Amino acid sequence: MLVAFSVAPAGGESDSVSKAVAEAVRVVRESGLPSETTSMFTTVEGEWDEVMAVVKRAVDVVAQGAPRVSLVLKADIRPGHTNQLVAKVERVERHLREES
């Protein structure tokens, strides 16, 4: 399963969220699960329980410094498939090369 999520503090004194987001990304990276962070989302790959546990820990760490937390989550649930963090992009790139 792939889960792309974005977590950010809300209702704090500053409009900058980078420090809190960095703490959430640290949680993901320390989990050891395959992941990728972009400007808008962090995508994590693994089994349902382990991925959701990581998302919860990321939310919890952001909540430590904010009165409110925003979470956006999108999941691709495809049992029996692994390495989709890379494989999905490779399939798209292959199609792009074939069409050129």
Side-chain angles (χ1 to χ4, degrees):
M1 125 181 254
L2 291 173
V3 170
F5 76 101
S6 172
V7 60
E13 295 178 13
S14 171
D15 63 349
S16 177
V17 298
S18 60
K19 184 173 181 179
V21 170
E23 291 304 315
V25 171
R26 184 183 322 279
V27 166
V28 173
R29 291 182 181 174
E30 288 176 353
S31 76
L33 295 176
S35 66
E36 176 182 70
T37 299
T38 65
S39 61
M40 296 290 293
F41 288 93
T42 295
T43 304
V44 185
E45 183 170 12
E47 296 299 319
W48 180 278
D49 290 339
E50 61 188 357
V51 171
M52 291 305 185
V54 170
V55 171
K56 182 181 183 329
R57 286 195 306 272
V59 169
D60 289 345
V61 77
V62 171
Q64 290 175 3
R68 190 174 190 177
V69 176
S70 170
L71 173 67
V72 176
L73 185 141
K74 181 177 181 180
D76 180 357
I77 303 162
R78 194 173 182 197
H81 290 79
T82 58
N83 196 35
Q84 294 304 295
L85 191 65
V86 174
K88 287 178 77 166
V89 175
E90 287 175 348
R91 287 191 297 271
V92 170
E93 292 294 337
R94 185 181 69 238
H95 287 294
L96 291 169
R97 284 190 305 274
E98 289 171 358
E99 293 174 9
S100 296

